[in-house]
Amino acid sequence: MVCSMRPERYKVLWTLYLMRDPYFGKYTRQRLESTQKVLEPVPVIGSLTEKIVELIFGAQTRYMYMSGS
């Protein structure tokens, strides 16, 4: 049981690391914005991508505010 939860925990920790400010500002934000620009012309996928990127930016802002780091 402990071994089966370890990969899930690492995935969560990796996601939180990608959301932290130094890494997010340099790499993650640029990747998200470039992906959004590439998928923008696609009718349905472009609008969904825009909303997902908007939610990720909001979650990053709240996460950094709540974590205090």
Side-chain angles (χ1 to χ4, degrees):
M1 172 123 182
V2 174
C3 292
S4 67
M5 293 190 63
R6 189 169 281 174
E8 294 175 14
R9 184 171 186 263
Y10 288 145
K11 288 178 187 178
V12 170
L13 290 175
W14 178 247
T15 303
L16 292 177
Y17 176 75
L18 293 176
M19 297 293 283
R20 290 190 64 176
D21 195 30
Y23 194 85
F24 186 84
K26 290 181 182 178
Y27 303 106
T28 308
R29 181 180 290 268
Q30 293 174 358
R31 295 284 177 135
L32 288 172
E33 289 174 347
S34 66
T35 302
Q36 182 181 1
K37 288 179 184 177
V38 167
L39 294 176
E40 188 176 11
V42 181
V44 175
I45 297 174
S47 61
L48 288 176
T49 304
E50 181 179 354
K51 293 297 178 188
I52 290 170
V53 169
E54 183 179 324
L55 288 172
I56 291 173
F57 287 164
Q60 192 272 339
T61 304
R62 287 183 197 89
Y63 168 71
M64 292 306 296
Y65 175 75
M66 297 300 281
S67 71
S69 60

